[in-house]
Amino acid sequence: MKRVLEAQLDKYFNPQTTAEIKVIEGTHAASHAAKLARVKTISAYPITPQTSIVELLSEMCASGDLEAQFIKVESEHSAMACLIGAEATGARSFTATSSQGLLLMHEVLHWAAAARLPIVMVNVNRALAPPWNIWTDQTDSLAQRDTGWIQFYAESNQEVLDTILMAYRLGEQVMLPVMINMDAFFLSHTAEPVAIPKQNLVDEFLPAYRPEFTLDVNDPRAFGGLTKPDRYMEFRYNIQKAMETAARLIPTVAEEYDYLIGRHHGTQVEEYRTEDAEYLLVTSGTITGTTRIVVDQFRDQGVPLGLLKIRTFRPFPDQAIRNAVAHVKKIGVIDRNISFGSGGIFFNEIKAAIYNAKVHPLLNGYVAGLGGRDVTPSVITDIAEHLIKSKQGKDLIWIGVKK
Amino acid sequence: MSQILFEIPKVEIMGSGHLACPGCGATMAMRYALKALGRKTVVVIPACCWSIIDGAAPYSVLGVPVFHTAFETAASTATGIKAGFVAQGKTDINVLAWAGDGGTFDIGFQSLSGAAERNEDIIYVCYDNEAYMNTGIQRSSATPQGAWTTTTPVQNPKSRPKKNIVDALAAHHIPYIATASVSYPDDFIRKLRKAKSMKGMRFLHILSPCPPGWKSQAEDSVKIARLAVECCVFPLYEVHDGRRYNLTHKPKGLPVKEYLKLQGRFRHLSDADIEKIQTEVDHNWRTLQRRVEFSTEIDTRSDVSDQGATK
Ligand SMILES: Cc1ncc(C[n+]2csc(CCOP(=O)(O)OP(=O)(O)O)c2C)c(N)n1
Ligand code: SF4
Ligand SMILES: [Mg+2]
């Protein structure tokens, strides 16, 4: 515990690069990031627990702290459609949503990506209805898997802020939109100290958005018109190539950010105490923070347990996963999501990634914490012990389901 | 007969080589609209016949930037385009949302209503061919009562009257609404120019003959559109501030049968059916006349529509 905190303190609060340390919720960390990115257009529709992101942005726009057009639309579908239009003119844009709101956007999420518009959106991971539940669950964003959006999952409020800034830098280089996910309440409504970087450093890190093609009356072009089979496929090929480029650029962007601002949250993955690990837990989101503590406890007892945190779901870090598992004997993937008729979604992707690897460690899929149920250190300890004892991999192991 | 000659701008912004059917009203409408609005215009096209008419990549028949967007997002995408321009200090560009009746009356109605209520600074044109033509002539809420479509076969034609979209928009108190017809290009262009000179949400409803969908002859399109006006089926008028109505053309009041008989989609109708339609048309026409009369009593100082437009 102490070790984690000390490391965090050094890493997070570099006085040279920090304008201010604020004790804020994840939602407000997101609003501050949008402001630091100097977004020009914002459009959003309220949904719990996203609301405080846009409330603070409304205040910033009203007070003149942020010079942006804020369009208060009548639905999430219109929010995304509106930003599609704005971004096509060359205006950097931002929105935030959650759960049902994200699902309502589905059609236009595909549109944003295929139109190659690097919009940045925060999604607060919240469970889907019915029954109504406003607590955390990742099925909302993972259901957007094939939309062409780059997806990040954050572990802390600081990571939310930093990742939004990196998202603009990354997205605008590969011309793909980026979604930054944070857990409902565990991040969105939990106050943590967050270092707000100095604006001049952010400006240096993130130059103004200057896309090659925009809606320009002096250079009229048609965007997204009818495209026949002889041309369509190349558009898809290019999106996949852009995703592959994004995978290559993520470490560079993280380094640039570290160089200027002095913080690094890992690349597509972050390995924690994986040196000589025989057993590996794989997590994303806030479960990661809890798992760090459990890993420390096991290590203190001499058990070689390590942790692999997944930061990007798209592009999926196949290669980083293959490297990370090369020397481990057993892997347990903890999913706070479910694909009905299959299982944990990260688990399935990891299983697929490992198929073409040289080694095939034992692989267990654990589904835990749906709809905001607590995944405590003791729950993770049980998972780790189960993994260590396992003789045969199992695709779907439910954790804590009441009889 | 004395007549004031009206110059139709000679400039052709829309090029040749569009992919519309011969006699397509929607295509004539775009040509006139661009003549009126000029080159500093960006067109937003949701799914509709016009997503095809513009041409397949890499060609586009419009001489201005075109942004194709999802079916129900003409108003919301146009809103964002305007906001994006304004955020970059480009305040003099007309953003024209150009949607069919399906994209306006039905699936796009929510986003249109939202944009109208916020008084977004866009020009929204609905070219109304009274059905989903792009997908093969299915009924929409703009399909008139009694009409045949592929989903309202003659044994069971459309039973409900056409939605009154102008009334629906008027209820939003937007600065300007007008109906227009490709058969009256002078009136059409005057209205688009007026719309261009204003700020806030401007909505134009254009009846657009469609030979395949209306089962009519291509060479009759202009005539049919004119008869729609002269039979009071589609009167030409304006609404300011959602409540001040004025007619821009005095119709002859011809029997509605004259309009219906040129279109195969109404061929199955009995005399009694036509009589019923005539009654409905008469009623609507009287209602409009009353509104026009009442409008003179409205004090323009009570206008609300110039408030809140995206500046
Ligand atoms: C969400 C969605 N649903 C359905 C469609 C299929 N679709 C494309 S155009 C169209 C009809 C368009 O009708 P209208 O707006 O009247 O324009 P028109 O084709 O008559 O010009 C439909 C149903 C679609 N593109 N998107
Ligand atoms: S189907 Fe009708 S609206 Fe569509 S292009 Fe042909 S004539 Fe025009
Ligand atoms: Mg139509």
Side-chain angles (χ1 to χ4, degrees), chain B residues 219-282:
Chain B
E219 61 272 27
D220 284 344
S221 285
V222 172
K223 187 173 174 190
I224 291 171
R226 184 176 302 124
L227 283 168
V229 173
E230 300 301 350
C231 300
C232 302
V233 172
F234 192 82
L236 296 178
Y237 63 105
E238 298 174 314
V239 190
H240 291 89
D241 199 50
R243 49 188 163 184
R244 285 183 286 112
Y245 289 67
N246 69 288
L247 289 168
T248 60
H249 175 86
K250 191 173 176 311
K252 294 195 175 81
L254 302 177
V256 73
K257 193 171 182 173
E258 299 295 310
Y259 169 66
L260 302 178
K261 75 179 186 200
L262 291 175
Q263 304 173 55
R265 61 175 173 155
F266 296 117
R267 192 159 299 140
H268 56 280
L269 296 180
S270 66
D271 285 347
D273 294 333
I274 294 176
E275 202 41 52
K276 217 176 124 198
I277 293 174
Q278 183 69 61
T279 311
E280 184 69 17
V281 166
D282 290 347

Side-chain angles (χ1 to χ4, degrees), chain B residues 71-86:
Chain B
F71 194 11
E72 58 289 327
T73 64
S76 43
T77 306
T79 296
I81 289 175
K82 185 70 191 185
F85 282 139
V86 171

Side-chain angles (χ1 to χ4, degrees), chain A residues 77 107 111, chain B residues 26 46-51 53 69-72 99-107 126-138 140 142 210:
Chain A
H77 196 282
E107 179 198 24
W111 205 286
Chain B
C48 60
C49 269
W50 252 103
S51 4
I53 297 172
T69 192
F71 194 11
E72 58 289 327
D101 49 295
T104 303
F105 288 59
D106 294 339
I107 198 166
C126 170
Y127 72 91
D128 180 4
N129 51 25
E130 304 197 312
Y132 302 155
M133 296 311 178
N134 183 255
T135 39
I137 326 172
Q138 295 84 19
S140 76
C210 166

Side-chain angles (χ1 to χ4, degrees), chain A residues 40 69 71-75 77-78 81-82 84-86 88-91 107 111 215-217 220-227, chain B residues 39 41 56-57 60 63-70 72-73 76-77 79-81 83-88 110-111 114 118 120 310:
Chain A
K40 289 209 157 68
Q69 294 281 315
I71 305 113
K72 288 137 199 174
V73 282
E74 82 301 327
S75 72
H77 196 282
S78 286
C82 187
I84 285 171
T89 69
E107 179 198 24
W111 205 286
L215 290 167
D216 180 355
V217 290
R221 290 168 190 273
F223 294 80
L226 179 69
T227 301
Chain B
R39 292 190 192 275
T41 302
S60 165
V64 294
V66 189
F67 194 81
H68 291 274
T69 192
E72 58 289 327
T73 64
S76 43
T77 306
T79 296
I81 289 175
F85 282 139
V86 171
Q88 296 171 85
Q110 172 180 321
S111 69
R118 296 188 303 272
E120 296 295 349
T310 312

Side-chain angles (χ1 to χ4, degrees), chain A residues 3 61 129 165 214 234 378:
Chain A
R3 189 192 141 110
C61 289
L165 296 173
T214 59
E234 286 67 26
S378 94

Side-chain angles (χ1 to χ4, degrees), chain B residues 294-308:
Chain B
F294 178 68
S295 295
T296 56
E297 297 170 23
I298 299 174
D299 186 342
T300 58
R301 283 173 304 179
S302 67
D303 279 9
V304 289
S305 64
D306 57 346
Q307 298 160 9

